[in-house]
Amino acid sequence: MALCNKENDGMTVTTRDLTERDVTERELAANFDLEKLTPEFYADPYPTYRALREHEPVKRLPNGTCFLTRYDDLVIAYKNTKVFSSDKKKEFAPKYGASPLFEHHTTSLVFNDPPAHTRVRRLIMGALSPRTIAAMEQGLIRLVDDLLDAIETKGDFELIGDFASAIPVEVIGNLLDVPHEEREPLRDWSLAILGALEPVIRPEQFARGNKAIEDFLGYLETLVERRRAKPGNPERDVLTRLIQGEANGERLTETELLHNCIFLLNAGHETTTNLIGNGLVALSGNPTQKQRLIDNPAMTKTAIEEILRFESSNQLGNRMTTEPVELGGIKLAAGTPVTLCIGAANRDPAQFADPEDLDVGRTPNRHLAFGTGAHQCAGMALARLEGAIAISRFLARFPGYALSAPPVRGGRVRFRGFLSVPCVVG
Ligand code: HEM
């Protein structure tokens, strides 16, 4: 690292400071273990990510897996699906055994390679068409405005429960046309199933995850049966579209249909909740950027991309090497599990100027919050629409909102967000 004396925001950074920081960063990188994370890391993982990116960008972890933090290395892994496989059967067999969690996660399209992945993705992308998504906009605006009315009446509110999480649960419920009165368990099922993807899980998390899959499957079997008997409009109802398949006769098997419906319901919940929650918390901590966005609502589009980059709700992705490969000068054997750290890549100074700053007008902004390549998020247009409507209407209505107590983090490394954020409308 180059040593120098430099004025930075009025603070003099001395050679000694830099040397000390360098030593601390080297230590942080050397001691990093995804299975032994500290409360400080959960609160703010970015200093550790910076240390890894600078000193050990292709980091071997004590359990034999590899952790990538540089933007360019993630792009290589995302784009090269032959060498970096998404098929998780080998990896999940020891973690889950023969359990509902194993069946679910290994049937989801995100954890499969071609040709299974290509077939299922084509069917799902066909169902999540731009027309289906555009048709949701008016309903979404009404939903957000109703939530804002309720918040105005309350004055004191909880940003996640009263607002952020209420939006995706309704949107995904509408997408599959789940009757309103049957939506209540969806969020808990989703949290339990995705929680079991954490690098280390406790026996009770494993049991909760399995129970959630069983309950969810039981529910979906009934829903699918009802929809087969009385199909909806395939232009708007994704479930009917998935049941009917493509005009050329291509269809999902029953197991693929049920597990990919669970996956869709899950994929769009916590991630989008966290986009909205992380965004409004980040803006409240950056008053200049918040005011800039309030004064320029046309910036909503770039602001959403920046929030996705700055506090990516999905921080980690996973692959496994299928053949020996060299990355950043490090040789990886075939069969090495690789973690792709989106949170670190999205703050890589080689790709983003001043990456630790929130800049609601940032362009270009080629962040990896939705991944890239063959598995790039199938719901990103919907997530962007939800984020834009939720955040822009919230700011227009409550420009003076403020946190009224410290927010409580979700305590997860893969899905970054808050459990609760007490607020006042201001
Ligand atoms: C802010 C919100 C969201 C974020 C940050 C996000 C992030 C991601 C990421 C990083 C991937 C790539 C996984 C990989 O390559 O390993 C992915 C895949 C996927 N996402 Fe999202 N997602 C979001 C919202 C949604 C929504 C709303 C839906 C559905 C309605 C959705 C459906 C999917 C699906 C089906 C895949 C699998 C695609 C494939 O494997 O081909 N996501 N998402």
Side-chain angles (χ1 to χ4, degrees), residues 109 120-130 241-242 246 376-379:
L109 88 155
V120 177
R121 182 170 169 105
R122 201 180 309 124
L123 283 156
I124 288 183
M125 290 306 283
L128 287 173
S129 69
R241 179 79 185 245
L242 290 176
E246 297 286 310
Q376 189 173 40
C377 180

Side-chain angles (χ1 to χ4, degrees), residues 178-179 182 189 214-223 226:
V178 175
E182 293 169 14
W189 286 338
E214 280 168 353
D215 292 348
F216 215 148
L217 280 177
Y219 172 69
L220 277 177
E221 276 165 17
T222 324
L223 188 71
R226 290 196 318 236

